[in-house]
Amino acid sequence: MTDALELDALWEDFHRAVNMTSAELAAWLKVRDAAEDTEPLPEQAGSPTGQHVLAILQKRRTDLTEDDLRVMRKVVDTVDEEADVENEPEAEDTRRRHRLMTIGHDPLKP
């Protein structure tokens, strides 16, 4: 398991990267997957990573598992990498925003 200092840093980095609330993320995952032929059960909407992020947001720090920590690191790395992308065409920027929102980060949110 990660030591206390590493866990504290990861917790902070994760909550910096994931700037959507659990309610916002849950709503986005439902909207994102909504289609006549593809809509899953509402509680199963979204990618496995998006669902895992949603579960992490509803946990206390002391309840995190090794799998949670792995997903948290992945989300932080993804958001940090995407933040380095500049001057994309508008259509690609929209796709990028939607991809990031699927893991709980809305780049347009302050």
Side-chain angles (χ1 to χ4, degrees):
M1 186 89 178
T2 306
D3 74 31
L5 289 176
E6 287 179 86
L7 180 59
D8 289 345
L10 179 58
W11 182 262
E12 293 299 320
D13 288 345
F14 178 77
H15 282 87
R16 173 195 44 81
V18 177
N19 63 357
M20 295 170 69
T21 66
S22 58
E24 290 170 332
L25 178 55
W28 171 251
L29 294 176
K30 289 175 188 169
V31 167
R32 183 78 174 149
D33 271 3
E36 272 187 43
D37 59 339
T38 62
E39 187 168 2
L41 297 172
E43 63 277 354
Q44 297 173 352
S47 69
T49 302
Q51 283 295 317
H52 202 145
V53 169
L54 186 57
I56 292 168
L57 288 174
Q58 297 167 347
K59 288 185 175 187
R60 295 177 307 178
R61 189 180 329 198
T62 57
D63 296 332
L64 296 173
T65 66
E66 284 295 326
D67 199 35
D68 294 336
L69 299 177
R70 180 188 56 76
V71 169
M72 290 169 73
R73 287 183 191 99
K74 178 181 172 185
V75 167
V76 169
D77 290 346
T78 300
V79 170
D80 287 348
E81 287 169 13
E82 291 285 336
D84 292 338
V85 176
E86 294 181 22
N87 300 324
E88 293 184 17
E90 191 172 319
E92 179 55 31
D93 196 46
T94 298
R95 283 192 291 271
R96 178 179 155 269
R97 178 179 183 228
H98 290 176
R99 246 188 347 264
L100 287 169
M101 287 175 68
T102 301
I103 60 170
H105 178 79
D106 184 351
L108 298 182
K109 196 173 181 181

